[in-house]
Amino acid sequence: MKLAWTIARRYLFAKKSHHLINVISWVSVTGVAVGTFGLIVVLSVFNGFGDLVMSLYNSFDPDIRITAAEGKTFQFSDSLQRELMAEKGIEQTTLVLEDNALLRYMDRQYVVTVKGVSESFFKTSNLQEKIIDGEPLLQQGSADYMLAGAQIAYSLGLRPNDPLHHVNIYMPRKGIDPSYALLDPSEAFSQESINTGGIFGVQQEFDGKYVIVPLRFMRRLTGEETAISALEIKVKNPEEAETLTARLSEKLGAGFKVKDRLQQHEFLYRIILSEKVAVYAILGFILLIAAFNLFGTLTMLILDKRDDLQTLYTMGADLQLAKKIFLLEGLLISVGGAFAGMVLGGIVCGLQQAFGIIKIGGGEGFLTEAYPVAMRPADFVIVALVVFLIGYAAARYTSGVIVKRQSDARLSAA
């Protein structure tokens, strides 16, 4: 193997009898390098966009969310609280009570989901970082305030801390006889007024759906004194969220749904994963096409070194040594190209991360001005493995077939 390695390395770097073969050899290296570079860059940009999208959800969603398996609400009992307190991985919990309602501000109306949260809300959520107008204010003494999504605020014309106009929230009362409600429609709804503390901008799914209010305000509006819709949890170590979710699910039983961030938006994660697999497949196919250069390069190299092979055979070398030489030659081309492509891809992605050199054309008002990039060590490992396997298969097939044909031709001539 040492002899085969020495000869293969010399064949790659030494001058060939035909200058064109030198050129084709380096074209093969360049083809693999360009394919690897493209794969690294595209996957890193894809990761960047994926992280950007998920960061928008993560600013609103908790690490873990517990809801009832059936029905809209459940009782937050002392026994449930004790079970949660026994888990050392939990840093903070927030009680949530949600329901649909109608907002009325001056002469405008909008149907929303009102989310009532306990005082610990800003410790389990990062929504305070997404406030675009006003303040992340829900309570101040006995006064209650509302946080509204940007689309809702735009539709209603909301102004934070408007001293002249409050927002009226109307919610259907439960247990009202429909015939009685027809006689006196005002009795069919409970109504409370609240001022706007701030406006948040996360993304359209949240901005046009949610308003956040204190839990005490929501209890007055709904008449629910103890029930909650969900329990939101912040974990001490995000890397242990999946394990903690599994433990809580087992402990709480079939009556509750316990979901981590991934499970809260499982469909979105599946779309991102499937798109990434598609990117791997498409760019892997491009690398496969680039590997065809390797077939041609090794074939011409074997033909160019016929006299050298004849000398080796005369000195006692066997067919296996000749195959190993050109197999290693093919691996040198593919591995060398892959290494160069990954280094170049890493440099370009690092520069984009640091300086945002390449801007998004026509991206005014977009979440980011430059293409986001996120490099993953797993991507580099997978790309290296894919290039190695493609290069190995191409080199093994070519070296085996062509060398054997040359050997058979030599024996026939003898």
Side-chain angles (χ1 to χ4, degrees):
M1 180 60 74
K2 184 177 180 180
L3 177 60
W5 168 257
T6 302
I7 296 174
R9 186 178 56 188
R10 180 174 176 79
Y11 279 174
L12 179 62
F13 296 104
K15 185 177 180 180
K16 282 72 172 177
S17 59
H18 296 85
H19 180 67
L20 181 61
I21 298 177
N22 285 83
V23 174
I24 293 174
S25 297
W26 289 108
V27 166
S28 295
V29 174
T30 304
V32 175
V34 170
T36 305
F37 167 78
L39 195 52
I40 291 295
V41 170
V42 171
L43 288 173
S44 297
V45 172
F46 185 86
N47 291 336
F49 276 111
D51 289 352
L52 179 63
V53 171
M54 295 316 303
S55 69
L56 299 179
Y57 283 89
N58 293 345
S59 64
F60 194 88
D61 295 327
D63 293 329
I64 298 175
R65 183 178 172 91
I66 300 175
T67 57
E70 295 182 2
K72 294 174 62 176
T73 61
F74 63 92
Q75 296 296 323
F76 185 62
S77 61
D78 292 339
S79 61
L80 177 58
Q81 186 174 9
R82 285 194 299 269
E83 289 180 354
L84 294 174
M85 293 297 292
E87 289 290 344
K88 296 181 180 179
I90 296 176
E91 180 177 328
Q92 190 63 253
T93 60
T94 297
L95 305 182
V96 176
L97 181 59
E98 292 183 5
D99 210 339
N100 296 327
L102 174 70
L103 298 191
R104 183 178 178 87
Y105 181 72
M106 292 190 285
D107 59 343
R108 300 184 184 182
Q109 301 178 358
Y110 199 100
V111 176
V112 301
T113 296
V114 182
K115 180 175 180 177
V117 296
S118 57
E119 295 180 8
S120 58
F121 174 68
F122 290 122
K123 296 179 181 178
T124 58
S125 168
N126 297 319
L127 191 64
Q128 63 269 28
E129 299 173 1
K130 300 296 181 179
I131 300 298
I132 58 177
D133 192 11
E135 302 176 58
L137 179 65
L138 287 174
Q139 294 179 203
Q140 195 172 54
S142 60
D144 295 324
Y145 293 86
M146 174 185 77
L147 299 179
Q151 185 176 328
I152 297 171
Y154 176 78
S155 299
L156 293 176
L158 289 178
R159 295 191 297 272
N161 295 310
D162 183 353
L164 300 178
H165 304 95
H166 288 190
V167 178
N168 293 317
I169 304 180
Y170 299 88
M171 188 170 292
R173 284 180 176 164
K174 297 182 175 105
I176 296 294
D177 187 346
S179 59
Y180 180 74
L182 288 173
L183 295 174
D184 189 0
S186 62
E187 292 297 320
F189 296 89
S190 56
Q191 183 262 328
E192 292 283 344
S193 296
I194 192 170
N195 207 345
T196 304
I199 297 168
F200 61 84
V202 179
Q203 56 105 352
Q204 188 174 3
E205 182 178 342
F206 301 124
D207 295 350
K209 180 179 179 180
Y210 284 100
V211 296
I212 314 297
V213 300
L215 182 61
R216 66 187 185 186
F217 176 88
M218 189 63 174
R219 291 206 183 283
R220 290 200 305 270
L221 190 62
T222 60
E224 293 281 4
E225 296 182 359
T226 57
I228 60 174
S229 303
L231 184 67
E232 297 184 346
I233 296 174
K234 180 178 178 61
V235 301
K236 293 179 180 178
N237 184 0
E239 294 180 359
E240 297 178 357
E242 185 177 352
T243 304
L244 181 59
T245 300
R247 287 205 308 268
L248 289 174
S249 181
E250 183 178 357
K251 180 180 289 188
L252 298 179
F256 295 91
K257 293 179 181 178
V258 184
K259 296 182 178 181
D260 59 19
R261 288 191 189 276
L262 187 149
Q263 293 167 334
Q264 291 172 50
H265 297 285
E266 190 172 0
F267 181 69
L268 177 63
Y269 275 96
R270 285 181 178 177
I271 290 176
I272 292 175
L273 181 61
S274 63
E275 288 179 347
K276 191 169 184 178
V277 170
V279 170
Y280 270 120
I282 293 170
L283 295 179
F285 182 71
I286 294 173
L287 278 175
L288 186 61
I289 294 174
F292 280 102
N293 285 330
L294 193 57
F295 285 104
T297 300
L298 289 179
T299 300
M300 282 185 278
L301 185 60
I302 292 170
L303 294 174
D304 183 63
K305 299 301 181 182
R306 282 178 296 183
D307 294 341
D308 289 1
L309 290 176
Q310 183 62 42
T311 302
L312 288 173
Y313 291 142
T314 303
M315 295 174 64
D318 58 7
L319 184 62
Q320 292 303 316
L321 176 62
K323 288 182 179 180
K324 286 178 183 177
I325 290 171
F326 294 103
L327 172 62
L328 290 172
E329 180 80 8
L331 288 178
L332 278 172
I333 291 173
S334 59
V335 171
F339 178 76
M342 284 191 289
V343 170
L344 184 59
I347 292 173
V348 170
C349 291
L351 291 173
Q352 179 67 13
Q353 274 184 320
F355 304 107
I357 298 170
I358 303 176
K359 306 296 183 181
I360 298 177
E364 294 81 3
F366 194 61
L367 295 170
T368 178
E369 294 182 358
Y371 281 95
V373 172
M375 290 183 283
R376 301 273 195 277
D379 288 338
F380 283 80
V381 172
I382 292 173
V383 169
L385 184 61
V386 168
V387 174
F388 177 82
L389 291 176
I390 291 175
Y392 178 81
R396 186 176 181 83
Y397 175 80
T398 307
S399 61
V401 172
I402 304 301
V403 171
K404 190 174 186 307
R405 286 179 182 175
Q406 291 290 319
S407 178
D408 291 343
R410 177 179 62 85
L411 292 174
S412 299

